[in-house]
């Protein structure tokens, strides 16, 4: 890859978005997904940052009251690539009727057990999002997922097809920059902060590339916010998108 800022990741799967090897990798992590000191420890640190952005986006989109603990009451939410439910459970506590979809059956099983244990009614399903007849949703999320799919354009089209006309979509993903290669692949995976093999830098996607994919699917992307890291702040929202970023999208 000659230019990290302009080359587009390959989309050659013909519409099939799940990569079996990716599903198998994350399925092997299912057993300790909910352990904040286990293999998914970084996700536990990342989740509050994503939720901060998500709550703000929800309040803006639906003109909500920031004091309302259940801003998604009466609304439906779909989390694609849900893992073992780290995002689904907060969405349910915000009042949403939640569906979580994941490529790995092991993750869906772990998610279902955990939700039942904490008294949350969440529908979990395993499989290809395009093959599931699940209707449309007020909120669609796909956090740290698009970099793992085989055909990014097909994946975004399927997300768009699940979004209600007046709905809100939120996505987060690593940016394809020298910084992300150094920190996320070299440092984080090299030092064991993220399981080896979790990320493939060539599959990271830039904000401009994501904007184009969303536009082709009939969606308008909001201004991306960066998710950065510093020793003082840890993971945090900011203006620097070089490492990771999170965005909203709506039907154009």
């Amino acid at each position: 890859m000659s230019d990290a800022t302009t080359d587009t990741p390959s989309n050659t799967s013909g519409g099939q978005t799940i990569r079996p090897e990716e599903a198998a990798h994350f399925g092997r992590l299912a057993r300790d997904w909910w352990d904040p000191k286990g293999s998914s420890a970084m996700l536990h640190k990342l989740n509050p940052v994503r939720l901060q952005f998500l709550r703000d986006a929800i309040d803006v989109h639906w003109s909500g009251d920031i004091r309302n603990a259940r801003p998604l009451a009466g609304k439906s939410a779909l989390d694609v690539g849900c893992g073992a439910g780290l995002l689904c459970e907060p969405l349910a506590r915000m009042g949403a009727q939640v569906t979580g979809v994941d490529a790995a059956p092991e993750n869906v099983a772990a998610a279902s057990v955990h939700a039942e244990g904490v008294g949350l009614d969440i529908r979990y399903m395993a499989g290809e999002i395009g093959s599931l007849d699940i209707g449309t949703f007020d909120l669609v999320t796909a956090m740290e997922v698009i970099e793992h799919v085989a055909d990014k354009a097909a994946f975004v089209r399927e997300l768009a097809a699940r979004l209600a006309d007046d709905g809100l979509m939120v996505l987060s993903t690593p940016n394809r920059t020298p910084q992300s290669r150094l920190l996320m692949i070299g440092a984080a995976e090299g030092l064991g902060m993220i399981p080896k093999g979790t990320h493939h830098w060539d599959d990271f996607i830039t904000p401009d590339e994501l904007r184009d994919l969303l536009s082709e699917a009939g969606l308008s992307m909001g201004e991306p916010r960066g998710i950065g890291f510093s020793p003082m702040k840890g993971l945090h929202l900011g203006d620097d998108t070089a490492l990771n970023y999170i965005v909203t999208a709506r039907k154009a």
Side-chain angles (χ1 to χ4, degrees):
M1 187 169 293
S2 62
D3 185 343
T5 63
T6 60
D7 289 352
T8 302
S10 175
N11 293 310
T12 58
S13 71
Q16 181 75 14
T17 64
I18 291 176
R19 286 175 171 154
E21 69 277 11
E22 295 274 7
H25 171 80
F26 288 104
R28 287 190 291 270
L29 306 178
R31 185 171 53 185
D32 68 344
W33 201 290
W34 278 97
D35 181 358
K37 296 182 179 179
S39 58
S40 296
M42 190 60 70
L43 283 179
H44 285 266
K45 294 180 174 67
L46 180 59
N47 213 37
V49 181
R50 300 189 302 198
L51 284 168
Q52 178 187 345
F53 178 93
L54 188 55
R55 176 59 201 258
D56 289 344
I58 288 167
D59 288 339
V60 169
H61 186 75
W62 282 292
S63 301
D65 184 345
I66 61 173
R67 297 166 296 181
N68 183 2
R70 292 172 59 83
L72 293 175
K75 293 181 171 58
S76 58
L78 171 67
D79 185 32
V80 181
C82 64
L86 285 184
L87 185 63
C88 287
E89 293 195 6
L91 293 177
R93 291 190 176 96
M94 282 191 251
Q97 182 179 349
V98 180
T99 296
V101 174
D102 198 88
E106 301 92 335
N107 287 341
V108 168
S112 298
V113 168
H114 195 274
E116 183 178 357
V118 296
L120 292 173
D121 183 14
I122 299 173
R123 176 176 65 166
Y124 286 109
M125 307 174 74
E128 179 83 37
I129 184 64
S131 69
L132 300 175
D133 184 13
I134 53 179
T136 60
F137 298 81
D138 299 304
L139 174 67
V140 174
T141 59
M143 306 295 201
E144 315 300 312
V145 178
I146 193 170
E147 68 270 23
H148 298 293
V149 304
D151 188 327
K152 291 171 172 50
F155 180 69
V156 170
R157 288 194 299 269
E158 294 298 345
L159 293 180
R162 302 297 177 270
L163 185 66
D165 287 342
D166 60 347
L168 173 68
M169 186 183 296
V170 179
L171 307 96
S172 66
T173 186
N175 199 350
R176 196 174 71 257
T177 64
Q179 295 95 317
S180 67
R181 187 201 288 269
L182 176 64
L183 293 176
M184 299 186 71
I185 308 295
E189 291 195 18
L191 296 174
M193 298 169 66
I194 299 173
K196 285 185 180 297
T198 295
H199 292 122
H200 303 284
W201 184 81
D202 288 348
D203 284 321
F204 289 179
I205 183 170
T206 70
D208 285 343
E209 291 166 354
L210 181 56
R211 189 184 302 277
D212 288 344
L213 289 175
L214 289 167
S215 178
E216 290 166 6
L219 300 171
S220 175
M221 188 176 101
E223 191 66 24
R225 292 295 310 281
I227 301 177
F229 176 82
S230 73
M232 294 294 291
K233 294 182 178 180
L235 291 168
H236 61 278
L237 290 173
D239 296 328
D240 186 355
T241 62
L243 186 62
N244 198 304
Y245 62 98
I246 186 167
V247 299
T248 60
R250 299 167 178 81
K251 289 200 172 180

